[in-house]
């Protein structure tokens, strides 16, 4: 029997015994059924009290912690000792019921994520030479080619090698609009192939798939404690000791005041229950676990409660430009070179064949479209934030921005081949050079994502004061994009190398908490330096998943605004919970001290408050991260 079911069975047994005891007590007084009532009460103490006592003693011995369970057991025993066994039984019954309810409620936050795991099919069709065979998914290894029929779920992370079609990726990104994918595109485990017949080459081991990583991250995140959670636990522990001491003191004082030891012990038991910090301790995890789960279902992975709490307090959002604010899909606008354009492009595409940068991809695409074969190069090396350097048949060749040109000693000659309009156009400029000589240049541009204006507007509407742009691109380009998005020149930092981005993020933190939002290309260090590093489009990128505190699996700034809203709402709910829990406790304790508060009323107030706090946290589960229209 699992822990959950045994908990459930014991709770039902406790309730049944309690009902029997109550029926015998009130329903059949005078029938001489006193022994039957005593028997029923005894079984309530066993089924309701023993598990709590067991947990309390376990915590005391293994963790040297005073558990809240202990307070309840002591209070129930004290009540029984002064002849109020029925009241003690009510306490144990309600405590058992609320503990079970809490467990089931908190379990919902976990199951919300684990359900993803069950989506993976068990068997897959793979190509073996001429044949297709069906195999167990566990046996797939990178390199296998899986055949996917329409409507089938993708069993592994891989790349399409044949066929094209729409894929529903909502399980991963939370995005319900299908994505059209062609050969070369990545597909992810647990997504659905809607109508194409696809052949997919397996690229990752099962355990390394995006879904597996997501589940692992969310599970780790749920275990990682948020600062306020740590506080409420620390507080709970000190407080539990204080409550026990206070109850003993109350017993002593009321006895001395002439209340009689029995009445004093009853009062002490009531105070013990009234002052128990159950609600305070559960109020934070109830909200945080719900928020982490609901965020994950919307394609936003928080790496822990701390990231959630920090995001809620961010004052400055600093965005990388290329691939984050913009689509990253560059279009070549202009080509200028000495001599034949075809040779120029062949050399440029040859060196860019070794780069992962979006610019490189645009150049390769253009060469491909014109049927130009890239000229091979050797020893290609990336200069982050600047470009590429390599060696070809004629010597050292490079492609990159003006800073790289300068590094290669080519500054003075820039004007020689490049007309001034190319130099000053508000477009990204890529120069191709050999040593100190510039062979030509291309300009390219990309567009803000459709989701960017709406996402930024939502952040501003939420009261985020500062929105900054950090880019390795030229100032003119950055300002053009900034103007479209309402980011002022003062908030634009251009011509940055990756290390400059780190420095600027550090500078910005002087003014308040900073979130850096990047795509993980060239900006892992800035992601790590910020108070919260947020990676976009993380579904395919291991670097981004690693370096960030928050990963947005869809390329959508609107999700960021939603995550921010959720984080703020979570901290609001935590605050509500803490205030309510402390208020309720104060009222009950005051009632116990200055008035004759009956034990059952204290019990109902206390357990009711705890359940309310949990339910208040669980409201977040019904608050999905939605897609925003820009
Ligand atoms: P961003 O901050 O806009 O994301 P990066 O730091 O990735 O940009 O790159 C900064 C600049 O360096 C680019 O705008 C481009 O001019 C140049 N650059 C980087 N990589 C390459 C490349 N592979 N080919 C040509 N230029 C490059
Ligand atoms: Mg970038």
């Amino acid at each position: 029997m699992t822990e959950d079911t045994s908990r459930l069975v014991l709770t039902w047994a406790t309730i049944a015994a309690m009902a029997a005891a109550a029926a015998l007590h009130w329903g059949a007084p005078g029938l001489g059924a006193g022994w039957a009532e005593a028997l029923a009460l005894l079984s309530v103490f066993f089924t309701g009290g023993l598990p709590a006592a067991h947990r309390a003693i376990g915590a005391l011995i293994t963790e040297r912690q005073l558990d809240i369970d202990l307070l309840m057991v002591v209070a129930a025993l004290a009540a029984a000792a002064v002849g109020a066994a029925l009241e003690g039984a009510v306490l144990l019954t309600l405590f058992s019921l609320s503990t079970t309810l809490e467990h089931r409620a908190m379990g919902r936050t976990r199951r919300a994520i684990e359900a993803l795991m069950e989506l993976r099919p068990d068997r897959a069709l793979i190509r073996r030479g001429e044949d297709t065979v069906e195999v167990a998914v566990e046996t797939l290894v990178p390199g296998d080619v899986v055949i996917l029929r329409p409507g089938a779920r993708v069993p592994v992370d891989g790349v399409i090698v044949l066929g094209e079609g729409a894929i529903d990726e909502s399980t991963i990104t939370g995005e319900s609009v299908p994505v059209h994918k062609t050969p070369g595109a990545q597909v992810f485990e647990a997504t659905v192939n809607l109508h194409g017949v696809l052949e997919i080459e397996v690229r990752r081991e099962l355990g390394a798939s995006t879904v597996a990583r997501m589940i692992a991250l969310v599970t780790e995140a749920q275990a990682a404690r948020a600062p306020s959670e740590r506080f409420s636990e620390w507080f709970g522990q000190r407080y539990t000791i204080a409550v026990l001491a206070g109850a003993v003191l109350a017993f002593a004082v009321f006895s001395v005041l002439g209340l009689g030891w029995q009445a004093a012990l009853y009062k002490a038991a009531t105070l013990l229950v009234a002052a128990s910090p159950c609600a305070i301790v559960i109020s934070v995890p109830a909200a945080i676990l719900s928020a982490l789960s609901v965020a994950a279902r919307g394609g936003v992975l928080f790496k822990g409660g701390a990231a959630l709490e920090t995001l809620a307090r961010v004052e400055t959002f600093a965005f990388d430009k290329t691939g984050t604010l913009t689509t990253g899909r560059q279009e070549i606008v202009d080509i200028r070179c000495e001599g034949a354009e075809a040779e120029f492009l062949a050399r440029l595409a040859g060196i860019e064949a070794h780069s992962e940068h979006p610019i490189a991809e645009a150049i390769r695409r253009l060469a491909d479209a014109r049927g130009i074969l890239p000229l091979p190069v050797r020893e290609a090396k990336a200069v982050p934030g600047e470009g590429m350097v390599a060696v070809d048949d004629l010597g050292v060749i490079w492609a990159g921005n003006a800073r790289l040109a300068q590094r290669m000693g080519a500054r003075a000659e820039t004007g020689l081949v490049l007309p001034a309009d190319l130099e000053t156009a508000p477009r990204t400029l890529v120069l191709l050079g050999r040593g100190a000589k510039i062979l030509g240049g291309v300009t390219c541009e990309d567009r803000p994502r459709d989701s960017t204006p709406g996402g930024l507007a939502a952040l501003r509407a939420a009261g985020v004061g500062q929105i900054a742009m950090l880019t390795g691109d030229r100032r003119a380009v950055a300002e053009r994009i900034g103007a479209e998005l309402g980011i002022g020149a003062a908030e634009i930092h251009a011509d940055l190398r990756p290390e400059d981005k780190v420095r600027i993020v550090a500078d910005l933190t002087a003014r308040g908490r900073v979130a850096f939002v990047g795509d993980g290309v060239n900006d892992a260090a800035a992601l790590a330096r910020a108070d919260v590093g947020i990676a976009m489009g993380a579904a395919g990128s291991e670097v981004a998943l690693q370096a960030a505190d928050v990963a947005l699996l869809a390329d959508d700034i609107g999700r960021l605004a939603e995550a921010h809203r959720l984080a703020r709402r979570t901290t609001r709910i935590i605050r509500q919970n803490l205030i309510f829990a402390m208020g309720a406790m104060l009222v009950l304790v005051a009632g116990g001290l200055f008035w004759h508060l009956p034990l059952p009323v204290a019990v109902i107030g206390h357990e009711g408050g705890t359940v309310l706090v949990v339910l208040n946290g669980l409201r977040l589960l019904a608050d999905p991260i939605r897609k925003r229209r820009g």
Side-chain angles (χ1 to χ4, degrees):
M1 210 162 23
T2 70
E3 206 188 316
D4 276 349
T5 41
S6 58
R7 195 193 304 277
L8 197 65
V9 167
L10 283 173
T11 298
W12 277 117
T14 309
I15 291 172
M18 184 68 229
L24 289 165
H25 185 82
W26 285 293
L31 277 188
W35 61 271
E37 188 192 326
L39 201 65
L41 287 178
L42 201 64
S43 48
V44 172
F45 272 76
F46 267 101
T47 53
L50 269 188
H54 180 247
R55 284 196 298 273
I57 292 168
L60 200 61
I61 292 173
T62 56
E63 294 158 44
R64 310 204 156 276
Q65 297 253 320
L66 274 183
D67 211 296
I68 300 170
D69 293 300
L70 188 70
L71 299 184
M72 296 298 144
V73 175
V74 170
L77 289 177
V82 297
L86 191 71
E87 271 132 304
V90 171
L91 162 62
L92 289 176
T93 307
L94 288 182
F95 182 62
S96 169
L97 180 64
S98 78
T99 313
T100 304
L101 283 179
E102 277 160 37
H103 267 269
R104 295 191 74 86
M106 302 295 259
R108 275 188 58 183
T109 66
R110 298 209 165 77
R111 282 193 298 277
I113 283 310
E114 280 160 9
L116 279 179
M117 194 90 103
E118 285 145 30
L119 292 176
R120 192 178 66 207
D122 299 329
R123 308 196 60 79
L125 274 184
I126 66 167
R127 188 173 288 298
R128 280 269 158 78
E130 298 286 277
D131 301 330
T132 54
V133 282
E134 202 188 272
V135 298
V137 164
E138 288 79 45
T139 63
L140 292 176
V141 290
D144 282 346
V145 173
V146 175
I147 299 167
L148 218 56
R149 303 222 168 98
R153 258 185 214 280
V154 180
V156 282
D157 279 15
V159 168
I160 298 182
V161 288
L162 195 77
E164 59 180 85
I167 308 269
D168 175 353
E169 295 194 325
S170 54
T171 42
I172 291 198
T173 62
E175 168 64 71
S176 55
V177 179
V179 193
H180 190 81
K181 298 211 170 184
T182 50
Q186 287 195 62
V187 290
F188 303 108
E189 177 187 320
T191 57
V192 181
N193 167 32
L194 291 177
H195 36 245
V197 176
L198 304 179
E199 295 200 5
I200 290 166
E201 188 182 312
V202 180
R203 284 292 165 89
R204 292 211 188 119
E205 307 279 347
L206 273 192
S209 73
T210 299
V211 165
R213 301 266 296 125
M214 264 173 81
I215 293 167
L217 276 175
V218 176
T219 317
E220 277 166 35
Q222 293 189 328
R225 300 237 173 300
S228 61
E229 200 168 349
R230 259 183 256 132
F231 172 75
S232 73
E233 264 167 28
W234 172 88
F235 177 78
Q237 177 60 200
R238 307 283 142 126
Y239 187 79
T240 306
I241 298 171
V243 170
L244 259 183
V248 171
L249 188 70
F251 172 64
V253 170
F254 283 115
S255 301
V256 170
L257 288 179
L259 210 61
W261 74 269
Q262 289 186 321
L265 193 58
Y266 185 90
K267 230 175 179 19
T270 311
L271 281 173
L272 213 52
V273 173
S276 278
C278 295
I280 295 176
V281 171
I282 195 96
S283 51
V284 182
I288 289 198
L289 295 186
S290 307
L292 293 179
S293 298
V294 85
R297 271 189 297 176
V300 179
L301 299 184
F302 284 95
K303 284 213 194 143
L308 190 84
E309 291 191 349
T310 319
L311 180 62
R313 301 201 176 90
V314 160
E315 274 123 35
T316 306
F317 277 87
F319 288 92
D320 169 54
K321 176 182 71 71
T322 318
T324 305
L325 290 174
T326 67
T327 60
R329 188 182 162 92
Q330 306 269 356
E331 298 294 342
I332 310 280
V333 181
D334 251 320
I335 305 172
R336 300 289 164 80
C337 60
E338 274 181 350
E341 206 168 272
E343 194 201 330
F344 168 77
L345 279 176
R347 293 206 183 273
L348 187 58
I351 185 164
E352 294 290 14
H354 299 272
S355 170
E356 310 259 73
H357 205 275
I359 293 178
E361 201 220 299
I363 291 169
R364 291 198 301 265
R365 236 185 307 127
L366 181 76
D368 198 45
R370 295 202 184 169
I372 295 169
L373 278 183
L375 279 173
V377 299
R378 290 173 285 129
E379 295 167 42
K381 272 198 298 287
V383 185
E386 297 185 8
M388 302 285 297
V389 182
V391 176
D392 69 2
D393 50 349
L394 300 173
V396 173
I397 185 164
W398 52 267
N401 56 13
R403 195 180 304 112
L404 185 64
Q406 203 168 8
R407 184 193 292 281
M408 306 308 289
R411 183 88 210 144
E413 273 163 282
T414 308
L416 293 181
V417 291
L418 294 174
D421 66 312
L422 209 63
E423 271 278 74
T424 54
R427 286 190 288 272
T428 308
L429 174 64
V430 177
L431 301 167
L432 178 71
R434 180 178 303 292
K437 183 169 167 50
I438 288 174
L439 303 174
V442 302
T443 61
C444 49
E445 64 182 14
D446 69 338
R447 306 254 335 115
R449 295 179 188 283
D450 293 341
S451 65
T452 304
L456 295 186
L459 283 177
R460 288 199 181 97
V464 171
Q466 314 258 2
I467 290 183
M469 182 198 294
L470 274 56
T471 180
D473 209 342
R474 308 203 283 169
R475 175 132 218 123
V477 187
E479 286 187 358
R480 176 176 64 79
I481 302 279
E484 272 184 63
L485 297 174
I487 302 176
E491 273 82 52
I492 293 177
H493 306 266
D495 289 312
L496 303 176
R497 290 164 302 167
E499 60 266 34
D500 300 327
K501 291 189 186 173
V502 181
R503 181 174 48 77
I504 297 208
V505 167
D507 289 351
L508 290 173
T509 54
R511 284 191 276 160
R513 284 191 191 71
V514 175
F516 178 78
V517 192
D519 60 359
V521 179
N522 276 351
D523 48 25
L527 284 174
R529 178 63 185 81
D531 295 304
V532 199
I534 302 170
M536 291 259 303
S541 156
E542 196 59 22
V543 199
L545 270 181
Q546 293 272 334
D549 302 304
V550 183
L552 307 177
L553 297 175
D555 289 320
D556 180 356
I557 301 268
R559 292 297 158 94
L560 173 64
E562 280 282 279
H564 177 249
R565 181 186 64 76
L566 180 74
R568 285 217 175 156
R569 182 153 187 239
T570 308
T571 51
R572 261 202 316 278
I573 286 186
I574 289 175
R575 210 172 311 131
Q576 281 167 12
N577 275 354
L578 286 175
I579 291 173
F580 171 78
M582 291 195 192
M585 198 176 69
L586 279 180
V587 170
L588 290 176
V589 169
L593 278 178
F594 307 118
W595 185 67
H596 178 71
L597 183 74
L599 180 60
V601 174
V603 172
I604 290 170
H606 172 260
E607 299 301 341
T610 309
V611 170
L612 275 184
V613 158
V614 171
L615 291 181
N616 194 34
L618 246 54
R619 278 197 303 148
L620 288 166
L621 278 182
D623 182 12
I625 283 194
R626 258 164 267 139
K627 189 180 149 83
R628 266 166 200 278
R629 320 239 155 243

